[in-house]
Amino acid sequence: MPSLPAAEPCNNDELIRRNRGFYEPLWAGANLVEPSRFNTWPLLQALAHEAPRRLEVAPGLRPRLPLRGTCFVDLSHAAVQRLRASGATAVHGMIGALPWRDASFDLVCALDILEHVADDHGALAELARVAAPGARVLLSVPLHPQAWTAFDDCVGHCRRYEPAQILALLAEHGFVLEHSAVYGMQPSSPRLLALAEWFLDHQRERAMWWYNRVFMPLGLHFQQPLRWREGLGDTDGVDEVLLRCRRAG
């Protein structure tokens, strides 16, 4: 299935409804996973240590920056409550209207977010607004519209990006790409994905139980190490990339 064409833009209200329908029940029944358990931690730990003012956007219960000393914002009330209960500073909000002043942060992290919003230009403009000149900005996006599958629909994606498209979008909003890492994965079996979609549609509570207690722990166990590479690098066959950018001053 191809990415949505420009003549048929994503409907913002429908995207919010779809994402809330998927993630609110997911986080309501999930445990918070510490940032140190993810394969992003070796890459982000030093960056976080060097940045006294940090923001992570829409982490759910899978934050990648340290809980202490980081500001979190999420659309999910369940996620915000759980983050607060774990000692984090968390507020309810959306990437398109961040409740902070200009140039408030030295490190901004927004993983797996841009593909979920109708106005990705507006989202990047907000990230640029709250990032101080010279701040590091971490993003991740899925690549290649021709690689669209039912998984993208299932998790509430609006688009996949062509490599040249995401580079142009970053430059337009004042982000200089420094490094990237091959990142993320999605189910490769159409039958397994179809089964998962059926359970999500017909037995959502049971599906969320299996995800949180079986598939998520297995995914953490089998994570592969991540490595930075200069620029965007070769993207042939790459499903998703983690991008390390600097906010131009």
Side-chain angles (χ1 to χ4, degrees):
M1 176 180 175
S3 163
L4 291 172
E8 299 179 21
C10 300
N11 180 279
N12 188 59
D13 292 339
E14 171 60 22
L15 278 171
I16 292 174
R17 185 198 65 79
R18 193 193 316 169
N19 281 294
R20 274 182 173 153
F22 183 87
Y23 289 101
E24 194 70 43
L26 177 65
W27 303 138
N31 293 320
L32 187 144
V33 180
E34 291 287 337
S36 59
R37 296 186 62 191
F38 291 100
N39 60 356
T40 49
W41 184 246
L43 301 186
L44 306 190
Q45 183 181 17
L47 294 176
H49 180 72
E50 296 168 359
R53 302 179 300 167
R54 304 186 299 266
L55 169 67
E56 185 166 355
V57 181
L61 295 180
R62 309 290 184 256
R64 305 309 170 91
L65 297 183
L67 292 175
R68 302 287 181 178
T70 302
C71 295
F72 297 92
V73 58
D74 203 284
L75 180 64
S76 165
H77 290 283
V80 168
Q81 291 172 3
R82 200 71 58 83
L83 286 165
R84 287 175 177 172
S86 300
T89 300
V91 300
H92 182 260
M94 298 177 64
I95 191 172
L98 297 172
W100 288 282
R101 295 178 179 178
D102 297 359
S104 291
F105 299 101
D106 308 300
L107 177 63
V108 177
C109 182
L111 305 188
D112 302 311
I113 306 302
L114 289 183
E115 65 271 21
H116 287 269
V117 300
D119 183 10
D120 53 351
H121 282 271
L124 281 171
E126 271 295 271
L127 296 181
R129 182 184 66 79
V130 299
R136 289 276 171 64
V137 178
L138 302 163
L139 305 165
S140 69
V141 294
L143 296 178
H144 310 304
Q146 67 272 20
W148 189 281
T149 71
F151 176 80
D152 295 280
D153 290 311
C154 180
V155 297
H157 288 176
C158 180
R159 69 185 68 78
R160 284 175 166 268
Y161 291 91
E162 294 288 4
Q165 178 189 13
I166 190 62
L167 288 176
L169 195 60
L170 291 173
E172 181 178 344
H173 290 280
F175 296 116
V176 179
L177 177 63
E178 296 181 327
H179 296 85
S180 68
V182 177
Y183 173 73
M185 61 181 295
Q186 63 168 295
S188 57
S189 169
R191 290 185 177 181
L192 182 61
L193 180 58
L195 181 63
E197 286 189 282
W198 186 89
F199 271 97
L200 283 169
D201 288 338
H202 298 88
Q203 297 187 28
R204 179 172 292 267
E205 184 175 345
R206 186 178 180 186
M208 294 301 184
W209 187 95
W210 275 92
Y211 175 82
N212 285 317
R213 291 166 177 78
V214 178
F215 296 118
M216 184 64 196
L218 283 174
L220 289 170
H221 180 75
F222 288 106
Q223 289 179 110
Q224 297 297 313
L226 299 179
R227 294 178 178 85
W228 289 127
R229 56 188 187 175
E230 293 290 332
L232 189 58
D234 183 9
T235 59
D236 287 346
V238 175
D239 182 72
E240 188 173 3
V241 286
L242 174 63
L243 306 171
R244 172 178 153 183
C245 309
R246 185 179 293 277
R247 174 74 168 93

